[in-house]
Structure formats: structure tokens, C-alpha cells
Amino acid sequence: MSAIISIKNLSKTYAGGFQALKHVDLDIRRGEIFALLGPNGAGKTTLISIICGLVNPTTGSVTVDGSDIIKDYRRVRAMIGLVPQELTTDHFETVFNAVAFSRGLFGKAPNPAYIEKILRSLSLWEKKDNRIMTLSGGMKRRLMIAKALSHEPTVLFLDEPSAGVDVELRKDMWQVVRDLRAAGVTIILTTHYLEEAEEMADRVGVITRGELILVEDKAELMRKLGKKQLILQLDAALTGLPERLSGYDLELSPDGKQLTFTYDTRAGRTGITALLNDMRDAGVGFVDLDTTQSSLEDIFVDLVRSNR
Amino acid sequence: MNLYAVKAIYSFEMSRAVRTLMQSIVSPVLSTSLYFIVFGAAIGTRIAEIDGIAYGAFIVPGLIMLQLLTQSISNAAFGIYFPRFTGTIYELLSAPVSPLEIVLGFVGAAATKSIVLGLIILATAALFVDLHIAHPIWMLTFLVLTAITFSLFGFIIGIWADGFEKLQIIPLLIITPLTFLGGTFYSIDMLPPFWQKVTLFNPVVYLVSGFRWSFFGVSDVNIYASLGATLAFLLLSLLIVWRIFKTGYRLKT
Ligand SMILES: Nc1ncnc2c1ncn2[C@@H]1O[C@H](COP(=O)(O)OP(=O)(O)O)[C@@H](O)[C@H]1O
Ligand SMILES: [Mg+2]
């Protein structure tokens, strides 16, 4: 699949001498949802800001759909919509005018019908004539999205889209994002909420301290790095682990009725067969079993720890 | 050329002026009227004609210049400073607009506002004093050139400023004194010879003098010196603006 964004050896050193990005190489595929995952201060906003033209790179280059972001900035920026991390809006402008302004700024002829469509999809149509200062925080966030979509971009950046957003709005927002993806828009979102990457992304890039340490299909990432747990509901309560089972990573619940076995999916043998054999030999029976996979959060913590 | 962007910025800035009508039109008109009442009507009757022009009429071009300079600067400075202050500048920087288009939008709007304001003050002045304009085309030329030049200058200040005080400081500490000392209320040959020479280093003298010439056909300095000075200042401002965008100064990190 062809890359829509191609980042090569991108570094950024801020005026104070702080290096926020270190030789980042990354290809974003056309039409995917890519989550850039990393703790605060990792360099996510810096990376996005360079692509969108807000920050000058120190070294390296970026192309979007084959065009250089600096030499061919007009073509590149016309393709891109940006929803920044901070809520920055002009308080006195009305909702409709603010979106119409954005569309004009990005070089598109006025199209009130299209703006109406966007505002409706973000449940802002009733507020179209209201001044922005009268909106709630959640509505302002949606307005920022509407502004970013006003010029029909093919690439959308969402910088920490769910910061300070309630559950209801988050659901609506993800629906909009999924619809955009279905329409062929490439979406790059940054987050330090791990569930978000897990829920939304096709691929995940993990960034810490300016370094992109891993890029992986989400499913692959989960499969490769995920620890799994096997949970066994015992037919009779145990008072302690039998001698025979002491070699396994097992945990007995306080009531003695549930046994949890943690194993690594990366290992060649999980040890499940041996465990079940040994349990039978020790006379421990079970009535039900279940497996759970560790969340991206666990994976992430592991990764960052091993990178230190 | 992204004309939709120029139009978007221009209309946004113009609608801001309409929202703040009180500040952008009413207050300069009021303060100018006060000048006419105090200097023109009250004191002016006791002052002899200057160069054969009644004092009340003599001060009109200077007063228009004073408002033109300060309002152009503050309009344009505020126009670009405010988005920087609130953070909405991100959108401008991420849009497919060239520096030229940004300047056209902001400076064009600021200049339009001060030209309209200048004409309103002129109309107000006509209520107080007898006015006839000897060279209307020159008058408009100076009006437009000065408005554009000082809107550009204001734009530069708006980018340079990193706080609201800095936004005010240049108009307050430099432009207003230079205008008052630039022959707004007197002809410079009323000064002692030494101060006449010193005054010629004040750029505002050339603006006021040229503008006054377009009204009454008399001036302190040669009309082409006035035109030259205005154009030189315009060029200088353009050069600085070009440098700002070239280096990304204070707009990008
Ligand atoms: N304008 C700036 N000047 C100096 N340092 C900055 C600037 N912007 C960001 N930084 C620093 O760069 C690092 C990365 O910031 P950022 O890209 O905002 O991280 P993230 O979005 O992942 O939280 C942080 O340590 C931050 O303090
Ligand atoms: Mg950030």
C-alpha cells in the first residue's frame, strides 16, 4: 500500500537547545487511522506541528502525497485538516462564520450546504448563529473539528482529541472519525489514552522522548507483545497451591475458587498443556475457563520500561 | 494566489471593526472634534492666519494625519497580535496562504479602516471650518499611501510585540510625539532656525507637510520630498515584513 505521508530523518531542536524529536522515520498509509502513542512531552505535538507548518524542522523532510511540505506547501496544506490540542477559538465570531472563515482560508469557494452538513454531523447546527464564547468546552472541541473539516481535507490530524471530552462526545467523535475513514480520509491521532489507540487505530506508533520506538499493526502489536491470562474457575475451593503446581506463574484468588495463569504469547510454548496435565494429576478440577489479553496500556508500560 | 483566503482574512478583520465600532470610529472622531473646538474655534480665533490659511483649517490635515497614523498602527498591530495571543494563529500558519496573502488581508483591512476613518474625520472637520481641497487626487494619494505604510508598520509591531504594553508603546511614545512635533499645529518656519533643522529629521513632518499641501497648495517641505519620504517608509516596512516571513520570526519556532 502506498504511503500518503512519508517522514524521513525528522529532528527538531527547539531554540532553548531541547531536542524534541530525534531522527524520526515514519510512513503513514493512505486511508488508515494511525495512533501516535506516547506520554506527555514525548514529541507528538511537535511532530504534527512540523507536518502542518507550525514548527520548522531542524533536519529531515516530509512529503504528503508526494509533495514536500515546505517547497510545495500550498498543495500539502490544502490537503490537511488540523485539530490542535489546545482549544483556541475566536470568542466573538459565530459558529457558522468561524467554519466559513476556515474554508476560505484554505482556498475553497463558499459552500454553505457543505458547512451545514458538517455542523449537523457534529450536532452543532442548532448553535450556528451563537457566538463561540457561549459554547461549552465540548462544543468548542467539536467546532475545532468542524473547522478542520471545512475544506474537505484528505488527511486529518487530531492532537489529543479526547482531552477534556466527556464519554458521550467521545463516542460521537469516534463515529465521525470512522465515517471519515470510510470516506477515504487518512487520520492521524495522538493520544496518551491507551484505550483510545486500542479502540480506534489500525496501526500504532509508540513515541517517547522524541524517539519513535515502535510502529506496528495494532492487532500484531497486541499479539506480539501481549501477555495473556488463563482464568480457571475451580470445582472446589483450594486452601493453597498444591506442590505439583509450584513451578507455574499462578495466582489463587482469596476465596480459593479461581486460579489465574499468566503466560507470554511470544513464547514458543505457553505451558498450558503441561499445566492442565499437572492439575489433573494433582486432582484439581475446573468447571469453566476464560482468557484475557493485556491492554495496550500494559504493553506500553512494558515497552517504555524496556527502553529505559 | 489564494484569493479566498485574502477575502476571508479581510472580511474577518472588517467585521471585527464593525463589532468594535465605538473604539474604531467613534472615539477618534470625538477626540478630533475636541481638537477642533479647542484649537480651532476657541484658541484659533486668537491666532493669526498661517501662510494665509485660517488656523482652524490649517490644523485639519495634521489632525487627520495624527489619527491616520495612530489608528493604522493600532488596527494592524492588534489584528495580527490578537490571534497570536489567543492561539488562533495556528490556523493561519497551517493554511495554504503565502505571506503576501496574509499581509494583503490584514494590512488591507487595517488600511481600509483608517482611510474610511480619515474621510469621516475630514467630513467632521468640514462641519467646523471652511475647507476646500486644492489637489484632491494628491490628497487621496497621500491618504492611501500613509494608511498602507503605517498599517504595515503596525503589522510589524503586532508581530514584534510579546505583550499588550509593547503594542501600545510605539504609538504612544514615538508616533504621537513625532506627530505633535511634526507641524500638526504649526508651520515649521515658525520655529527658531536650529529647531527647524532638527525637525527635518522627523519623518512625520514630510507626511503632514505633503498632506497639507494637497489641501492648501502650501507646504513646509517640497512635495516630492514628502512623496519620497512616504514611499521610502513604505519600502522599509515592506522589507521588514518580508524578512519576518523569510525567517519565521516570532511566528514559528
Ligand atoms: N516551543 C517550544 N520551545 C521549547 N521546547 C518546547 C516547545 N514546544 C515543546 N517543547 C518541548 O518539547 C517536548 C515535546 O513537546 P510536545 O511535542 O508538545 O510533546 P507531546 O505533544 O508529546 O506532549 C516537551 O519536552 C516540550 O517541553
Ligand atoms: Mg501534545
Side-chain angles (χ1 to χ4, degrees):
Chain A
M1 200 191 284
S2 69
I4 186 154
I5 299 178
S6 183
I7 299 167
K8 296 225 157 53
N9 191 31
L10 196 66
S11 294
K12 174 66 186 180
T13 305
Y14 281 110
F18 182 81
Q19 191 171 12
L21 282 183
K22 298 167 186 162
H23 310 286
V24 171
D25 290 291
L26 173 65
D27 279 351
I28 307 285
R29 295 173 189 161
R30 203 174 291 272
E32 75 175 339
I33 298 180
F34 187 91
L36 201 55
L37 184 61
N40 273 324
K44 304 181 295 293
T45 299
T46 301
L47 180 60
I48 285 190
S49 299
I50 291 175
I51 303 173
C52 294
L54 308 182
V55 168
N56 292 319
T58 308
T59 66
S61 65
V62 182
T63 60
V64 179
D65 198 29
S67 300
D68 184 86
I69 54 163
I70 293 168
K71 282 193 218 80
D72 211 356
Y73 73 94
R74 271 193 205 273
R75 177 162 185 269
V76 167
R77 293 185 194 171
M79 285 188 275
I80 293 179
L82 167 65
V83 183
Q85 187 171 351
E86 306 292 333
L87 282 176
T88 52
T89 49
D90 197 292
H91 295 251
F92 302 102
E93 195 59 272
T94 66
V95 167
F96 189 93
N97 287 350
V99 180
F101 171 81
S102 301
R103 186 174 169 90
L105 205 56
F106 279 76
K108 286 268 187 162
N111 186 346
Y114 183 76
I115 292 175
E116 176 173 348
K117 193 182 130 214
I118 298 174
L119 289 179
R120 281 189 190 283
S121 76
L122 289 158
S123 321
L124 279 174
W125 182 244
E126 283 70 41
K127 299 280 177 186
K128 71 182 167 70
D129 296 319
N130 289 40
R131 287 192 173 192
I132 294 171
M133 60 184 167
T134 67
L135 302 184
S136 69
M139 288 178 193
K140 281 185 190 152
R141 176 74 62 186
R142 274 178 280 165
L143 173 66
M144 307 277 291
I145 299 175
K147 281 164 78 71
L149 294 177
S150 66
H151 61 282
E152 303 160 55
T154 52
V155 178
L156 181 67
F157 286 93
L158 296 161
D159 198 356
E160 311 254 353
S162 52
V165 158
D166 59 48
V167 180
E168 201 52 35
L169 172 54
R170 203 177 294 189
K171 259 168 51 192
D172 290 355
M173 202 160 68
W174 291 153
Q175 195 48 52
V176 171
V177 168
R178 287 197 185 93
D179 292 347
L180 286 168
R181 182 183 183 279
V185 175
T186 306
I187 292 144
I188 297 100
L189 59 92
T190 75
T191 180
H192 56 265
Y193 292 108
L194 307 150
E195 322 81 71
E196 210 158 276
E198 195 166 355
E199 189 186 344
M200 295 301 301
D202 299 309
R203 285 199 308 152
V204 178
V206 179
I207 184 170
T208 62
R209 301 179 194 178
E211 282 176 274
L212 194 62
I213 56 177
L214 179 103
V215 177
E216 198 70 84
D217 273 2
K218 182 184 64 184
E220 181 72 4
L221 183 72
M222 302 285 292
R223 202 182 61 73
K224 254 182 163 173
L225 300 179
K227 286 235 166 50
K228 271 196 153 186
Q229 288 185 320
L230 175 67
I231 297 155
L232 298 156
Q233 306 297 340
L234 304 181
D235 56 1
L238 292 179
T239 47
L241 280 178
E243 183 69 17
R244 205 174 176 119
L245 302 179
S246 60
Y248 297 95
D249 182 0
L250 283 174
E251 203 183 330
L252 189 63
S253 65
D255 66 0
K257 296 201 75 170
Q258 181 179 305
L259 206 52
T260 303
F261 172 54
T262 303
Y263 60 98
D264 194 338
T265 53
R266 284 172 291 183
R269 338 188 109 207
T270 58
I272 293 176
T273 317
L275 171 71
L276 294 183
N277 284 337
D278 282 338
M279 277 175 65
R280 193 192 50 218
D281 294 352
V284 180
F286 57 94
V287 291
D288 197 6
L289 83 173
D290 199 5
T291 61
T292 62
Q293 188 145 21
S294 56
S295 67
L296 258 176
E297 177 136 24
D298 306 326
I299 297 174
F300 184 66
V301 169
D302 274 358
L303 264 175
V304 174
R305 202 181 290 138
S306 65
N307 204 247
R308 290 245 152 96
Chain B
M1 188 84 173
N2 184 350
L3 285 179
Y4 288 118
V6 177
K7 185 163 171 286
I9 298 170
Y10 185 89
S11 344
F12 179 85
E13 283 298 298
M14 292 308 282
S15 72
R16 194 168 60 80
V18 173
R19 271 199 314 257
T20 54
L21 203 64
M22 194 67 191
Q23 191 190 328
S24 47
I25 303 280
V26 177
S27 95
V29 168
L30 185 70
S31 67
T32 312
S33 301
L34 291 176
Y35 280 121
F36 283 126
I37 292 166
V38 174
F39 287 100
I43 302 175
T45 51
R46 310 271 174 113
I47 298 181
E49 296 186 339
I50 301 178
D51 299 331
I53 305 154
Y55 188 68
F58 180 85
I59 62 173
V60 171
L63 285 178
I64 295 177
M65 266 301 160
L66 176 66
Q67 292 299 340
L68 207 58
L69 299 191
T70 50
Q71 291 301 314
S72 296
I73 291 176
S74 73
N75 270 331
F78 202 78
I80 187 70
Y81 179 74
F82 204 63
R84 288 181 54 219
F85 176 72
T86 60
T88 53
I89 188 91
Y90 87 87
E91 200 175 22
L92 205 59
L93 295 177
S94 68
V97 290
S98 67
L100 177 68
E101 288 147 7
I102 294 177
V103 170
L104 277 179
F106 278 103
V107 173
T112 307
K113 281 184 258 178
S114 34
I115 290 167
V116 170
L117 177 71
L119 294 175
I120 291 175
I121 292 175
L122 183 60
T124 314
L127 299 177
F128 292 90
V129 293
D130 247 359
L131 271 181
H132 94 278
I133 299 163
H135 310 284
I137 303 288
W138 278 101
M139 194 278 284
L140 283 175
T141 307
F142 273 115
L143 191 73
V144 170
L145 278 181
T146 309
I148 293 174
T149 302
F150 283 83
S151 295
L152 272 170
F153 188 57
F155 186 82
I156 295 165
I157 292 173
I159 286 178
W160 164 78
D162 51 14
F164 280 97
E165 315 84 62
K166 280 197 179 169
L167 220 51
Q168 314 278 5
I169 212 159
I170 302 254
L172 208 65
L173 291 187
I174 300 183
I175 301 301
T176 307
L178 284 183
T179 314
F180 272 83
L181 300 175
T184 299
F185 296 105
Y186 53 85
S187 167
I188 61 172
D189 43 62
M190 292 158 78
L191 297 173
F194 172 75
W195 289 106
Q196 283 189 30
K197 294 235 164 54
V198 172
T199 289
L200 291 178
F201 288 99
N202 176 356
V204 179
V205 165
Y206 298 87
L207 303 176
V208 172
S209 170
F211 199 48
R212 183 175 291 135
W213 175 85
S214 70
F215 278 76
F216 308 120
V218 291
S219 60
D220 290 332
V221 293
N222 187 294
I223 168 73
Y224 292 104
S226 290
L227 191 62
T230 311
L231 290 176
F233 209 66
L234 178 63
L235 228 64
L236 182 69
S237 301
L238 281 173
L239 213 68
I240 298 174
V241 168
W242 181 77
R243 285 283 309 166
I244 285 172
F245 281 107
K246 188 92 180 149
T247 57
Y249 173 76
R250 291 228 176 162
L251 285 173
K252 289 189 191 187
T253 43

